[in-house]
Amino acid sequence: MPSSTSTFPLGFGDQPWLIRTPVTPGTDNETQTFLNPLNGSIEERKIPEMDNRQICFSRFEEWLFLLDHLRNASLFNIYSLTKIPLPPIDYQYFHHLGNCSLQSSPTSPDCTIIFFGELHNKQFLLFCRPGDTMWSKLPVDYIGIASSWLAFNGKLYVILVDEIEIINVTSLLTGNVEITSLDKPVEFSTNGNGLDEHLVESCGDIFFVRIFFWENFDNRVLDVTGIEIYKLVFEKENTWVRVESIGDRAFLLDEFGGQSCCAEDARLNQDCVYYMFSWGGLMRRFCKICLNDQTTRLNLLPETSIYYSFYWILPVRRPILKNELLTSSETIARNPVCKKGYDLVNEHDNEKCALSMPLPHLPIEMVQLISEKLPFKDSMRLQAVCKLWSKQLPNPIKEEVFLMYCPKKCGTCQMYNPYKGEQFTLNLKKLSSSDDAPTRFLSSKDGWVLALRGSDLLCLLNPFTNEFHQLPRLKDYYSYNGIAFSCAPKNSNCVVFAVAGSNRISSECMAWHYGQEKWIDMKFQNNLPFHVADNNPVFFDGEFYCLGRRGNLGVFNPENNTWRVLDKPSPIHSEAAPDIGTEYCYLMECNGELISVFRAANMDYVRVFKLDRSRMVWTLLDDLENLSLFLDFRSSIARKSPCSSFSNKLYLPRLCDERNEATFYYCMKTQMHNPDFQSLREPYNCVWLEPQLQ
């Protein structure tokens, strides 16, 4: 535990903490910032041993490698406040150093600090051990730019663009660096347009973590869209095997790599990955990824005045007591009351029960009353009991909207009804797969869902009828900002259209027409500046309308495969507007009108517009009247509310509690959201859906 309790936040040493440090030595900063991942609180503390002109370049467990602007180096134990001086770094190398790795605790004889450096276009390793009088330099062949690294069993695993290189740390002492290569795990999906990769050691095994996200043109990460985790099997010639769970562990990722801990010891949720990423400029977002139900929870941290890096400090290790062990979530005891009721039913098994009248003769009003009280799936089954009932009973899905999401593996989906706060499970056999290729939902319309299997295979499916339509394989992996389809794939009118754009000058499109055996790839020069936004197009009046990040519209005509940017409506934002890149925006059709929504990342504001087609201008709406809007970049839906309590509200695919029995909404009338936006979980593979059985 820390020797000075007043120096550290309450609970330091008993749970993980994120510590923030400047990225440039010599920065005037008198305090250290501690972020509590359990409640999101931020505390400032002054640690005299961590001089305000020192920064942390690497860490191993509770040991930090510190370096100041005068090139003085040291190892510092943040719990015992012990400091071990190291020789200063030679001036000729000081400004040419890159990534740094602390191999192990200084209590180990193998403890080595290694810098990657480049001078005069030649790469080198600069390394030192506690007790050395100077740093040693060894030239190496070109290694490349390392994105992350891991020290394990006397070796340094370095993630490069195309492979993993393994440096034998012991060989540094011989003056001849031994470097071998290891293939990275095959990337099965392209969930987004960006990714981050980390290596984590856990219980003697090495794991490769690949996180997918959507980022916009100024490198702001908008959403975490997926995660892949692989385990290295040494017995199978260093083969990577994909895993869906990390069990009772928690992975904590930072700019220095990744760490693993027992979740219970650290007071964290098990089977979760905690991750910090950039939100552009001086802002950061903290993300918790739950593997057991494939949801994320994002928090936006306050903006700072200088560039900082964040690193994890794990709690002091202690043995786990027997009475502290968690009961497995899969062990569910039978309710004795239910068991008793079941036995009572069995006592009357021999008694014969008969209806007093045939089913078609039952009053339809009584059957309808029963149907309204039943869960969704049972209400559907009730209609199948009698042909007369199926004709006379109202369609139970006619007025419904569902959030469809995959909590775990392909083939099993949850259907959540935000109106009733109920959910049920659907088994989609056509999506189940024996390989590791995941399925990701991209868009929905008319009860059908457009999904991506692996990285280059698209399909259309109706989860309620289990109908399935395979589309031609893409020429390359899927990497578009938005995709939509015109109608159900039952006739020649069905068109699938996707759009992408990395700048405002040009747009890349692809289209598939019903019956065709391949996709049509197109690239257009924009007639007006147009930044493609990260949301799906809308099929409207026979054309696909795409919302730009500034609020203008691009239109694709599927009849002649042409693209144009409309001069009206005028953009909502100017080209230099500060909000561009930080907003989430959505486009949808409602009763023959186009509606767009722009909101801040932290829900500080929400603006809703309707396109006045007579003047071709966006009109700001203060009231949605009897409408409910269901917003998501994959599919946004506007519809008439079934009752006044749901009217004039905007719903997001964020779930409130562990049972997923409530969702987030923003009320246009009060301009307030309920509940706390930052505390909610969002499935990273989901889509809003209006079901249809026809």
Side-chain angles (χ1 to χ4, degrees):
M1 296 295 294
S3 60
S4 175
T5 55
S6 61
T7 300
F8 297 91
L10 183 65
F12 190 76
D14 295 328
Q15 67 177 64
W17 287 80
L18 270 169
I19 300 182
R20 186 177 68 185
T21 181
V23 299
T24 305
T27 303
D28 291 327
N29 190 50
E30 297 183 355
T31 62
Q32 285 71 42
T33 304
F34 293 80
L35 171 65
N36 187 340
L38 301 184
N39 56 23
S41 64
I42 298 177
E43 301 186 34
E44 297 287 339
R45 291 289 189 271
K46 184 175 183 179
I47 304 177
E49 291 80 3
M50 295 180 67
D51 184 84
N52 62 338
R53 291 184 177 271
Q54 297 183 87
I55 67 170
C56 178
F57 270 83
S58 185
R59 54 102 182 92
F60 185 88
E61 297 175 351
E62 69 269 24
W63 286 93
L64 311 179
F65 171 66
L66 303 178
L67 189 65
D68 65 17
H69 66 296
L70 299 176
R71 299 176 284 109
N72 296 313
S74 63
L75 293 174
F76 175 62
N77 188 308
I78 199 166
Y79 287 135
S80 66
L81 304 184
T82 302
K83 182 174 282 191
I84 301 176
L86 298 172
I89 296 178
D90 194 298
Y91 181 78
Q92 64 175 320
Y93 306 129
F94 184 67
H95 296 290
H96 301 278
L97 299 177
N99 298 327
C100 175
S101 172
L102 174 59
Q103 290 294 292
S104 60
S105 165
T107 58
S108 169
D110 298 325
C111 178
T112 308
I113 304 98
I114 303 175
F115 268 108
F116 296 85
E118 184 171 349
L119 181 62
H120 304 312
N121 296 323
K122 294 183 178 180
Q123 289 194 334
F124 63 88
L125 297 180
L126 194 70
F127 64 95
C128 174
R129 290 189 170 194
D132 289 351
T133 58
M134 61 183 297
W135 289 78
S136 301
K137 172 179 171 290
L138 280 179
V140 294
D141 294 333
Y142 182 76
I143 295 178
I145 300 175
S147 61
S148 185
W149 53 93
L150 169 69
F152 178 67
N153 277 355
K155 297 180 179 180
L156 182 61
Y157 295 76
V158 184
I159 299 180
L160 304 179
V161 175
D162 299 318
E163 62 182 1
I164 299 173
E165 293 203 339
I166 306 173
I167 300 175
N168 188 336
V169 178
T170 306
S171 69
L172 299 179
L173 302 179
T174 67
N176 185 20
V177 184
E178 295 179 9
I179 301 178
T180 56
S181 298
L182 174 67
D183 291 335
K184 293 199 295 186
V186 177
E187 184 179 323
F188 276 103
S189 61
T190 53
N191 294 339
N193 58 1
L195 59 84
D196 198 5
E197 297 173 330
H198 291 267
L199 289 169
V200 181
E201 181 274 327
S202 180
C203 302
D205 291 313
I206 294 180
F207 292 85
F208 185 98
V209 181
R210 181 182 285 132
I211 297 176
F212 298 92
F213 48 79
W214 275 110
E215 62 181 0
N216 57 18
F217 56 87
D218 61 353
N219 296 323
R220 293 179 185 266
V221 176
L222 301 176
D223 281 295
V224 173
T225 57
I227 185 171
E228 294 176 353
I229 300 180
Y230 301 84
K231 177 182 175 181
L232 184 61
V233 182
F234 297 98
E235 296 81 6
K236 295 183 178 181
E237 299 180 352
N238 291 344
T239 302
W240 292 105
V241 178
R242 188 174 181 184
V243 297
E244 292 188 349
S245 171
I246 56 176
D248 62 354
R249 310 297 291 180
F251 286 179
L252 303 97
L253 310 180
D254 57 30
E255 298 173 38
F256 300 144
Q259 299 184 85
S260 168
C261 66
C262 174
E264 183 187 10
D265 278 356
R267 303 181 185 178
L268 300 174
N269 294 117
Q270 66 179 23
D271 209 20
C272 291
V273 176
Y274 295 81
Y275 174 60
M276 179 75 67
F277 58 87
S278 172
W279 176 239
L282 302 173
M283 302 180 72
R284 294 289 187 273
R285 296 188 83 177
F286 175 66
C287 177
K288 171 186 171 184
I289 306 174
C290 301
L291 301 177
N292 61 337
D293 60 2
Q294 296 195 21
T295 60
T296 62
R297 182 174 294 172
L298 299 175
N299 288 319
L300 184 63
L301 303 182
E303 187 171 7
T304 58
S305 58
I306 61 174
Y307 284 95
Y308 285 92
S309 62
F310 289 82
Y311 55 91
W312 287 100
I313 294 296
L314 298 184
V316 177
R317 291 192 176 96
R318 61 180 178 83
I320 303 176
L321 303 179
K322 276 190 175 182
N323 58 359
E324 294 178 332
L325 292 176
L326 290 176
T327 303
S328 171
S329 60
E330 297 179 358
T331 304
I332 304 175
R334 289 184 179 271
N335 189 321
V337 176
C338 295
K339 184 66 168 61
K340 181 179 179 181
Y342 178 76
D343 291 338
L344 288 175
V345 172
N346 284 346
E347 292 175 4
H348 301 282
D349 278 348
N350 294 326
E351 296 184 12
K352 304 296 182 181
C353 298
L355 292 172
S356 59
M357 66 177 68
L359 290 177
H361 293 175
L362 289 175
I364 192 63
E365 294 81 5
M366 182 173 64
V367 179
Q368 182 173 345
L369 183 62
I370 296 173
S371 177
E372 292 174 355
K373 302 297 182 181
L374 291 175
F376 175 81
K377 292 183 75 173
D378 291 336
S379 180
M380 295 282 292
R381 295 188 181 106
L382 185 63
Q383 292 198 15
V385 171
C386 176
K387 290 184 178 180
L388 183 63
W389 294 356
S390 64
K391 296 179 180 179
Q392 295 184 346
L393 288 176
N395 189 339
I397 67 172
K398 186 177 180 180
E399 303 298 331
E400 303 291 355
V401 174
F402 290 95
L403 179 66
M404 177 179 174
Y405 67 99
C406 278
K408 198 62 178 176
K409 58 184 178 181
C410 297
T412 302
C413 298
Q414 293 294 119
M415 306 295 291
Y416 172 74
N417 186 330
Y419 288 146
K420 298 180 179 179
E422 299 174 349
Q423 65 178 345
F424 58 90
T425 302
L426 282 182
N427 293 316
L428 304 179
K429 298 179 181 179
K430 295 292 181 67
L431 287 187
S432 59
S433 176
S434 58
D435 56 26
D436 289 328
T439 298
R440 180 163 60 102
F441 303 137
L442 299 179
S443 180
S444 75
K445 184 180 179 65
D446 297 338
W448 286 74
V449 175
L450 178 63
L452 175 68
R453 306 183 70 182
S455 60
D456 60 357
L457 194 58
L458 293 167
C459 64
L460 286 161
L461 65 124
N462 188 320
F464 292 92
T465 64
N466 218 15
E467 294 176 272
F468 186 87
H469 190 94
Q470 188 71 60
L471 302 182
R473 188 177 294 273
L474 303 179
K475 296 179 181 179
D476 203 349
Y477 62 85
Y478 178 84
S479 59
Y480 289 83
N481 294 81
I483 189 169
F485 55 102
S486 59
C487 61
K490 294 186 176 183
N491 55 61
S492 58
N493 295 326
C494 179
V495 180
V496 182
F497 165 74
V499 61
S502 57
N503 55 62
R504 63 176 186 167
I505 300 175
S506 62
S507 299
E508 296 182 11
C509 304
M510 73 171 184
W512 172 83
H513 296 256
Y514 186 88
Q516 290 185 345
E517 296 182 356
K518 61 181 182 179
W519 292 84
I520 302 173
D521 295 315
M522 298 156 282
K523 187 171 183 178
F524 301 97
Q525 296 298 313
N526 296 330
N527 55 298
L528 293 171
F530 185 78
H531 274 297
V532 178
D534 295 309
N535 61 69
N536 280 337
V538 172
F539 188 71
F540 180 70
D541 275 358
E543 297 182 301
F544 289 94
Y545 282 71
C546 306
L547 182 65
R549 178 134 321 260
R550 296 172 58 213
N552 53 345
L553 293 172
V555 181
F556 176 79
N557 188 313
E559 292 291 332
N560 49 28
N561 292 331
T562 58
W563 167 264
R564 67 189 187 279
V565 179
L566 303 183
D567 56 347
K568 293 182 180 182
S570 300
I572 296 171
H573 293 299
S574 66
E575 189 67 34
D579 288 336
I580 294 182
T582 66
E583 285 186 323
Y584 289 73
C585 51
Y586 315 92
L587 183 68
M588 68 212 77
E589 182 271 339
C590 179
N591 299 326
E593 305 283 355
L594 284 179
I595 295 177
S596 64
V597 180
F598 294 80
R599 71 167 180 88
N602 55 3
M603 294 299 295
D604 281 349
Y605 65 85
V606 176
R607 293 181 294 174
V608 182
F609 298 88
K610 183 176 73 171
L611 182 62
D612 184 341
R613 301 180 70 186
S614 62
R615 299 182 298 145
M616 287 301 291
V617 296
W618 288 115
T619 303
L620 184 64
L621 299 180
D622 296 324
D623 195 315
L624 298 177
E625 298 179 350
N626 63 346
L627 289 181
S628 300
L629 304 186
F630 299 88
L631 306 179
D632 184 54
F633 69 90
R634 285 158 287 230
S635 181
S636 294
I637 297 173
R639 63 170 306 140
K640 182 179 179 181
S641 305
C643 59
S644 59
S645 60
F646 297 101
S647 299
N648 207 22
K649 292 178 181 177
L650 289 70
Y651 291 84
L652 295 179
R654 288 180 171 244
L655 305 172
C656 297
D657 53 39
E658 299 299 324
R659 295 175 298 172
N660 302 335
E661 292 183 355
T663 189
F664 172 88
Y665 66 83
Y666 175 89
C667 181
M668 291 286 289
K669 181 178 181 180
T670 62
Q671 297 185 1
M672 297 178 65
H673 50 75
N674 183 41
D676 178 23
F677 180 73
Q678 302 271 16
S679 65
L680 306 182
R681 300 180 302 132
E682 179 176 353
Y684 51 78
N685 187 20
C686 65
V687 65
W688 290 112
L689 174 68
E690 290 183 291
Q692 287 190 12
L693 298 180
Q694 302 298 327

